Amino acid sequence: MVTLRFRPERLVETTGLDLDIVEEALFRLKCETELNDNYLSVEINPDRPDMFISEGIARAVRGIESIELGWTPLDGKLRNSGLELVNEMPETRPYIAAAVVYNVNVDSESFLEELVQFQEKLHDTVGRRRRKVAIGFHDLAKVKSKRLRYSMIPLKSSMVPLGGSEPMSIAEVLRSTEQGVKYGNISLAEGLHPAFTEDGGAVLSLPPVINSELTRVEVGTRDLLIDVTGTDLASVLKVLDIITLNLAERRGTYIGFVRVVPRTGEPLHTPVLKSRELSLDINYVNRVLGTDLTVDEVTLSLLKMRHSASPENGHVKVTIPPFRYDIISEIDLVEDIAMALGYDSPKLLPSKYMNDARGSLLDHTLLSRAARDIMAGLGFTEVMSYILTSSSLLRLFDMISDTVELKNPVQEELDALRPSLVPQLLQLMFFNVSKTKPVNIFEIGKTVKKIGSEAVEDLKLAAATMDDSVSYEDIQAVAYAFIRSFGLKPSAKPLTASWLLAGRSASLLANGHEIGVIGEINPVILDKLNVTYPVAVFELSLTELLKVIRAGAAGQKP
């Protein structure tokens, strides 16, 4: 839980409700409250960063109290700020997004205090203590340029750090300020550090370390320029959406887009403020909750949780607002419905659906368990290894082009995410060379493969056999028996892979759908790994196998 402190008068002002009503509503929203020392301490789930400031709490509370329902896109409150931000994409922290919120009106010390708290709690949660995302707030009136820049600057460059009175070199800032000591090494590289600057060179902030005194936000600041930097573009955009939409809850505010021009790729206007849509089956809701709710009751509950919702043929069409990034799938909407009704509501008492309201394992979990039983029955012993592996090992197997490598690994030999289970199985074979033959091992585990700019997870099964004499046919018999166990037809087609022996390798198919590879390991690979016996392997995607099983059950092609 994330603990925040609010002045009670701010919560009363923003919600328009008495404090006891606010506390009761927060309890229904899974928040714990305690009043002491003229502050209300509120424990909020870390997956609700939209509630890390009074304006966000007020939006949620006024919804659950049926004062305001749903959420309307802010089309009438959007403007072009006229600002352009050139992103030179510093290698250590390549992404930046920015926005302006006009008429925020920092009118009190209590609001300024909350603004700083909002920033820091976002840093600690979504931002992973500034390593993933960092935020800067600036007084727009103090920004002199319409053209801004995000780039690496040398450590001899100077700035006046927030709270300082004299210019300091970037090296001094990193060495002698509290924030520099704590966060100075996160994005530093070869004597350079990322900086958010005016086009003329004046430093506005040194992400993720410290802002400049030049654009200090103080009581009397009217318009805010917000910058968000990070190592992951999706997280950067998410945080900027949350901040701008929360501040836009203040009376009279409107949002200004900033044109971000990256060194590579298309320009982006931020914030993006992109909502998402889901269709929620009323029968699914009732089955999970054990209720007998109508479509209208479900719709109203979602509106109370500030989603846009409307009935549609036994379903509810739901538009999820951009600040609710905690909503991933339909089950999250069901939880919102339960909160809106209240967990003590008579409507949540058992109904005729309750017999079906039981937890169950996911399909891929059931498949993994079945796969383990089958492989054990085929005489194989299960092993387990880390998802992190060595890039040098993957280069040996010519798999590096598919590999996600770590920029700052803790250990040199664990510097990449494995795209395949096979290399680590072969490493284990080295430690079993002296064991009684045959050595039959298998592993079920997650792999990560780089596809374009995306890192895609897959659940795989790999098996290997080592003996004085091992052939393709030996491992094929095992692979085919495994596939037939699911009522599927196994087959193979020719495949060329450098780490498999030419003419003794193939793609593995189930019902004509490609699910993996099979073959004898190239002796060159075995020699480099000091494995002195022949080894044959197969590896298949349980994700793809599950698709084939489902398609077969439905009488369709996968």
Side-chain angles (χ1 to χ4, degrees):
M1 300 290 280
V2 180
T3 302
L4 299 103
R5 295 176 39 169
F6 300 96
R7 293 280 187 183
E9 57 269 24
R10 274 267 297 146
L11 291 172
V12 170
E13 176 194 351
T14 54
T15 61
L17 300 167
D18 292 339
L19 187 61
D20 57 343
I21 298 175
V22 173
E23 289 191 79
E24 179 61 31
L26 285 170
F27 181 74
R28 291 172 61 191
L29 290 162
K30 300 197 304 184
C31 301
E32 297 286 340
T33 61
E34 183 178 356
L35 184 62
N36 50 46
D37 298 330
N38 297 318
Y39 282 93
L40 184 70
S41 292
V42 184
E43 290 188 359
I44 299 173
N45 273 2
D47 65 351
R48 289 299 304 269
D50 56 297
M51 293 176 64
F52 287 1
I53 193 169
S54 287
E55 281 70 18
I57 285 180
R59 181 176 52 216
V61 166
R62 289 174 68 82
I64 206 164
E65 290 294 321
S66 301
I67 297 169
E68 294 174 357
L69 299 177
W71 182 77
T72 305
L74 304 177
D75 296 339
K77 298 182 72 171
L78 305 179
R79 307 281 191 277
N80 183 359
S81 71
L83 295 176
E84 181 173 273
L85 170 54
V86 177
N87 180 12
E88 295 184 7
M89 303 186 74
E91 183 179 348
T92 57
R93 200 174 192 86
Y95 302 109
I96 186 169
V100 174
V101 184
Y102 297 96
N103 295 334
V104 170
N105 189 17
V106 182
D107 54 3
S108 65
E109 286 290 346
S110 60
F111 176 56
L112 181 59
E113 188 180 82
E114 272 197 42
L115 203 58
V116 173
Q117 176 180 246
F118 186 32
Q119 180 185 30
E120 288 309 310
K121 294 302 182 181
L122 287 170
H123 279 158
D124 290 345
T125 53
V126 185
R128 306 285 174 85
R129 300 190 183 278
R130 306 195 189 193
R131 291 184 175 276
K132 189 174 183 180
V133 170
I135 303 150
F137 289 136
H138 310 271
D139 186 336
L140 182 65
K142 299 173 183 176
V143 179
K144 304 305 180 186
S145 176
K146 285 287 186 182
R147 188 175 170 86
L148 308 170
R149 187 171 297 276
Y150 179 56
S151 60
M152 284 290 211
I153 62 173
L155 297 186
K156 65 181 180 182
S157 303
S158 64
M159 68 179 290
V160 181
L162 192 64
S165 56
E166 297 293 331
M168 301 170 65
S169 70
I170 303 303
E172 285 181 281
V173 172
L174 300 182
R175 185 174 60 249
S176 61
T177 65
E178 181 184 352
Q179 293 93 332
V181 172
K182 286 177 70 174
Y183 307 113
N185 289 325
I186 292 177
S187 299
L188 182 65
E190 299 177 354
L192 300 172
H193 197 282
F196 178 44
T197 66
E198 293 182 337
D199 204 32
V203 176
L204 304 182
S205 70
L206 198 67
V209 182
I210 195 169
N211 274 17
S212 167
E213 181 70 19
L214 183 67
T215 54
R216 169 189 280 274
V217 176
E218 53 198 345
V219 175
T221 295
R222 188 161 191 82
D223 306 321
L224 285 181
L225 169 64
I226 304 150
D227 77 86
V228 181
T229 62
T231 57
D232 173 65
L233 181 58
S235 297
V236 166
L237 296 175
K238 171 175 72 174
V239 169
L240 186 62
D241 280 358
I242 291 168
I243 294 169
T244 53
L245 289 173
N246 273 12
L247 295 178
E249 291 290 323
R250 290 175 69 79
R251 186 176 301 134
T253 54
Y254 59 97
I255 296 170
F257 290 108
V258 173
R259 186 172 186 262
V260 181
V261 183
R263 177 169 46 83
T264 59
E266 294 297 317
L268 184 67
H269 288 82
T270 60
V272 293
L273 305 179
K274 187 177 181 181
S275 56
R276 294 161 293 146
E277 289 190 353
L278 285 175
S279 180
L280 188 60
D281 186 345
I282 185 68
N283 292 324
Y284 172 73
V285 174
N286 284 321
R287 188 165 59 249
V288 172
L289 293 179
T291 54
D292 195 8
L293 299 172
T294 66
V295 172
D296 288 339
E297 287 172 326
V298 169
T299 302
L300 178 59
S301 296
L302 291 167
L303 290 170
K304 285 184 176 184
M305 297 302 289
R306 305 313 298 266
H307 304 285
S308 294
S310 57
E312 192 177 72
N313 299 324
H315 289 66
V316 179
K317 182 180 178 182
V318 188
T319 301
I320 302 160
F323 53 82
R324 289 297 306 274
Y325 278 90
D326 59 305
I327 303 296
I328 298 171
S329 65
E330 290 84 355
I331 193 65
D332 301 306
L333 293 175
V334 174
E335 183 184 22
D336 269 10
I337 292 165
M339 280 192 283
L341 291 170
Y343 287 112
D344 57 350
S345 169
K347 292 184 181 297
L348 291 182
L349 292 174
S351 75
K352 64 183 180 183
Y353 292 93
M354 183 54 83
N355 288 336
D356 295 328
R358 294 171 296 176
S360 60
L361 295 174
L362 296 173
D363 287 347
H364 71 261
T365 303
L366 293 170
L367 179 58
S368 297
R369 291 187 175 188
R372 285 187 175 90
D373 290 342
I374 293 167
M375 292 306 299
L378 290 168
F380 281 67
T381 300
E382 184 175 14
V383 297
M384 298 180 72
S385 57
Y386 296 121
I387 194 169
L388 288 174
T389 188
S390 165
S391 59
S392 59
L393 175 64
L394 298 176
R395 284 188 177 89
L396 181 62
F397 283 78
D398 197 23
M399 294 180 179
I400 201 66
S401 62
D402 296 333
T403 300
V404 176
E405 297 186 69
L406 306 185
K407 285 189 176 180
N408 299 297
V410 176
Q411 299 180 45
E412 186 177 348
E413 66 273 16
L414 298 175
D415 64 346
L417 297 173
R418 61 186 182 190
S420 167
L421 304 176
V422 172
Q424 287 160 301
L425 279 188
L426 266 292
Q427 277 190 321
L428 285 169
M429 282 302 190
F430 166 74
F431 295 106
N432 287 274
V433 164
S434 61
K435 302 297 181 182
T436 303
K437 308 298 181 301
V439 176
N440 297 324
I441 58 176
F442 78 96
E443 181 172 7
I444 294 172
K446 286 185 178 180
T447 62
V448 180
K449 187 174 183 179
K450 183 167 65 178
I451 301 178
S453 60
E454 299 293 320
V456 180
E457 278 192 3
D458 194 5
L459 183 64
K460 290 187 177 180
L461 159 69
T465 182
M466 177 174 68
D467 205 345
D468 297 313
S469 175
V470 169
S471 69
Y472 173 88
E473 288 73 20
D474 293 327
I475 197 67
Q476 183 194 56
V478 177
Y480 277 24
F482 177 83
I483 293 170
R484 287 192 182 103
S485 298
F486 296 97
L488 306 175
K489 181 182 178 181
S491 59
K493 66 178 182 180
L495 167 74
T496 300
S498 62
W499 53 278
L500 291 172
L501 193 58
R504 306 293 291 170
S505 57
S507 291
L508 193 58
L509 287 75
N511 284 7
H513 183 71
E514 189 171 329
I515 61 170
V517 296
I518 184 171
E520 299 176 27
I521 298 294
N522 190 324
V524 175
I525 302 289
L526 295 176
D527 185 57
K528 289 182 178 179
L529 292 173
N530 294 317
V531 177
T532 53
Y533 291 85
V535 178
V537 301
F538 77 84
E539 181 177 49
L540 57 83
S541 167
L542 291 178
T543 306
E544 293 301 313
L545 180 63
L546 184 57
K547 290 179 184 178
V548 179
I549 293 169
R550 285 171 171 167
Q556 302 170 346
K557 290 185 178 181

